[in-house]
């Protein structure tokens, strides 16, 4: 399976709490919901719809999974929500118990087995394994060379700090821009893949 990352991102690389005020206030982050003024159904919504069409399963870190699990089941009846609820899901967590996996079709990958478990999924045939949010997990995936595609929705806003998906390990990682689209609100939807070495 290809591992595809899709993220709302500010111009300064922040991905924290794009969806709402209480989503993630770690570090005193006070700009939750910052993506809303820039969302449009055609370009930004279309990027998500396209990614979901190609997805065979979803992969989350614990916090993002808990946020999504609290939101999507109650939206049943909407085609996108129904797809989110039906698709197989994996969550990386040390702390979630099997009894807490209340969102349909969720499998837990123990945190201490995350890289090996995800590598095994990556090596299987099939569609895309789609990752939304989950900055800590995405940093690990990038560091381990397990990302096949980055789809970034870069919004014209500077947040001044917050969580990022990029590893801070000093390693050089070269990407190739494979597509780009611009929304009327100035969002750049850019799709990158790792550049071939040499």
């Amino acid at each position: 399976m290809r591992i595809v990352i899709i993220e709302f991102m500010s111009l300064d690389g922040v991905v924290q709490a794009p969806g709402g005020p209480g989503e993630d206030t770690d570090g005193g982050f006070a700009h939750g919901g910052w993506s809303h003024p820039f969302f449009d159904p055609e370009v930004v919504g279309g990027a998500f719809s396209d990614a979901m069409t190609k997805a065979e399963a979803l992969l989350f870190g614990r916090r993002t999974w808990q946020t999504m699990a609290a939101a999507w089941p109650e939206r049943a009846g909407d085609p996108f929500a129904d797809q989110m609820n039906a698709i197989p899901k994996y969550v990386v967590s040390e702390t979630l118990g099997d009894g807490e996996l209340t969102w349909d079709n969720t499998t837990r990958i123990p945190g201490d087995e995350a890289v090996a478990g995800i590598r095994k999924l990556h090596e299987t045939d099939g569609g895309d394994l789609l990752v939304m949010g989950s900055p800590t997990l995405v940093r690990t995936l990038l560091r381990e060379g397990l990302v096949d595609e980055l789809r970034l929705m870069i919004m014209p806003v500077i947040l001044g700090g917050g969580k990022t998906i990029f590893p801070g390990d000093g390693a050089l990682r070269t990407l190739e821009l494979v597509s780009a689209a611009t929304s009327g609100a100035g969002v750049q939807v850019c799709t990158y893949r790792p550049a071939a070495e040499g």
Side-chain angles (χ1 to χ4, degrees), residues 1 7 20 34 57 74 117 157 172 174:
M1 297 173 80
E7 299 281 352
W34 53 269
E74 66 188 36
V157 61
L172 176 69
T174 305

Side-chain angles (χ1 to χ4, degrees), residues 70 133 163 168 170 192:
K163 293 179 182 176
Y192 297 94

Side-chain angles (χ1 to χ4, degrees), residues 9-181:
M9 182 174 286
S10 69
L11 281 176
D12 52 345
V14 175
V15 299
Q16 188 169 352
E23 184 180 348
D24 181 359
T25 58
D26 280 4
F29 190 77
H31 305 299
W34 53 269
S35 71
H36 291 225
F38 308 105
F39 187 90
D40 74 286
E42 188 176 326
V43 177
V44 177
F48 269 98
S49 294
D50 180 64
M52 281 297 292
T53 299
K54 297 171 182 166
E56 188 169 295
L58 304 177
L59 174 64
F60 298 103
R62 178 193 54 81
R63 184 189 293 255
T64 302
W65 181 88
Q66 287 178 311
T67 299
M68 301 284 229
W72 287 106
E74 66 188 36
R75 298 178 190 173
D78 168 81
F80 189 82
D82 288 347
Q83 187 180 12
M84 289 287 288
N85 291 325
I87 196 168
K89 292 166 277 286
Y90 296 92
V91 57
V92 174
S93 176
E94 279 294 338
T95 57
L96 283 174
D98 289 339
E100 296 175 89
L101 303 179
T102 55
W103 195 11
D104 287 348
N105 303 314
T106 295
T107 302
R108 185 174 71 89
I109 300 173
D112 59 350
E113 300 169 18
V115 172
I118 294 166
R119 199 176 299 280
K120 195 172 180 180
L121 287 171
H122 190 230
E123 290 167 358
T124 62
D125 293 331
D128 292 349
L129 182 59
L130 185 63
V131 185
M132 304 175 193
S134 311
T136 303
L137 174 61
V138 173
R139 277 194 303 277
T140 299
L141 295 173
L142 283 167
R143 192 174 60 244
E144 295 291 328
L146 287 170
V147 174
D148 297 291
E149 186 171 289
L150 272 173
R151 190 175 294 200
L152 306 178
M153 284 157 292
I154 304 164
M155 304 198 163
V157 61
I158 295 169
L159 298 172
K163 293 179 182 176
T164 178
I165 61 168
F166 303 118
D169 57 7
L172 176 69
R173 296 171 177 89
T174 305
L175 303 174
E176 174 188 6
L177 178 67
V178 293
S179 71

